[in-house]
Amino acid sequence: MDNVFESMPDRIFRADLRVILLGVAALALASFLPAPAQAAGAGDNIRCETEHVTLDTAFPSGNVASCSLSGSKRIEVRLAPEDKPPINCSAWYAFRLTPRTPGKVTLILNYEACGHRYWPKTSTDGVNWDYLPKKFVKVEEIDGLKRARVTVKLKNVPLFVSAQEILPPSVYRAWLGRITKSPAAESWLLGKSAEGRDIPALTIRKSGTEPLEQVVLLGRQHPPEVTGALAMLSFVETLLADTPLAERFRERFETIVVPMLNPDGVVRGHWRHSTGHIDLNRDWGPFTQPETRLMKGLLDGIEKEPNKNLRLFVDFHSTIYDVFYTIPDSYETRPPLFLRNWLGLLEQHLPGYQINRDAGHNLGQPNSKNYVHKRYGVPTMTYEMGDETDRQKVRKIAKAAATTMMETLMETEAPR
Ligand SMILES: [Zn+2]
C-alpha cells in the first residue's frame, strides 16, 4: 500500500475527473445540498457538529461508522466495514462538511479494520472532483492503530470528502438516459435488489436485428470499485460509437450490460458486501442473494434460447493496480484462446502500457469469472483498474479494450 501512496502524483487531476462525470450527470449530489435534517434513506445518518462545521453522511454513498469532536476544528471519524472482518480491505468513506465559518478543519480517519486505502477526493457538487494535495493527507500508524490525518480548507460552501468519486444510482440513470438516445441502445430493468432498488440493464445491438451472439458485461458487484465503473462507462460508450467497426459489431453481436449489480451497497457506502452480508462475487454457485440470482437468470436465459450464443463475459472491478484476471489459456472455451488474442491485440493498441494479465488468480473461488466459464464454457475476465489510476488513462484503456474486443470477436467464427 505504501507504494501506492508514494506513486500519487502531486498535481491535481481536476480536469480529468470532471470530464468523465460531466458527461454523465450534473445531478449526482447537487440535489442533496445543503445537508438535510433527515437521513436520505441510505445507511445511518452520522452527524457531528462543532461551532465551525457540521459533518454528515445523509446522501447516497455517504458512510462513516461514527464521528466525535476532539476540538472545534478537529473531528475524529471512525471507519468500520458493514460486516465484521475478515472482509476485503476496501475502506470506503464519504462525508460532507458544511461550514459555518470558512477555514481549515482536520479530520482524523481512524480505521477499525484494514487501514487507509483510498486517497481522499473532494467536490462541492458531486461532479467536479479534486484529489486532496499530498501535504494535506498524512497516513500514520500509532501503537498499532491505523489512521489518516486529513486537512481540508473550507470556503463558504459544503464540501464532499470521499474515498472515490461518488457514482450513485442517479448517475447511472442519467448515463442510461443519455446513451439510450442511440437507436442501438435500450435500457430495461433486470430486477430489484434486496432492498428494492432498481438493477438496470442495457442491451446494445443494431436496431431491428436479432444478433445470434451475446456478450455480457457486469459492473459494481463491489460498491467502492469506482475506477472499474468508470472503465465500464467508457467501454460501453465505445461499443455505441459511430465507427464502422462498432456498427459491424452491433449487427453481429448483442451486448447486455448490467452496470450496477449492488445498488444497496453503493447507496449505503458499503466496503464490499450486499445487504445480505455477502460478497456478491463469492456467491456465484451458491446464489444465495437476489442480485446474483438475477445474473444467473439472465445467463441461463441466453443459454436456453436456441438463437442465442453467449460468447464472452467481462466483470468490471478495481483493485490497487491495473490487472486483467482471466481463466488460463489451457481451459477450453468457445471461442478458443479468445482472451490471449484479445489482450495481445490490446497491448499492440496501447504502446508503452504493459498489460498485466493474471490467469491463475482465485481459480477455485465461486466468483463470476470462474462460474460463468465453468457453466457456459465461454471466455471470462475480471477487468480490474487501479484505485488511483489516472482517470484519463482509465478511459483510454477502456476505449482500446472495447475496440480490440470487437476486432477480436469479429475475427471469430460465426454460428451457422
Ligand atoms: Zn471487486
Side-chain angles (χ1 to χ4, degrees), residues 11 21 29 73-74 76 98 141 152 208 261 268 284 301 304 330 340 377 387 396 400 402 415:
R11 71 190 179 89
L21 286 178
L29 296 171
K73 294 191 169 184
R74 192 176 138 123
E76 304 278 332
T98 306
E141 187 167 342
V152 292
L261 190 64
R268 289 178 171 275
W284 291 69
K304 278 188 202 124
S330 58
R340 187 198 67 178
D387 296 328
K396 191 178 164 189

Side-chain angles (χ1 to χ4, degrees), residues 222 225 272 317:
H222 295 147
E225 299 182 4
R272 185 76 169 181
H317 290 252

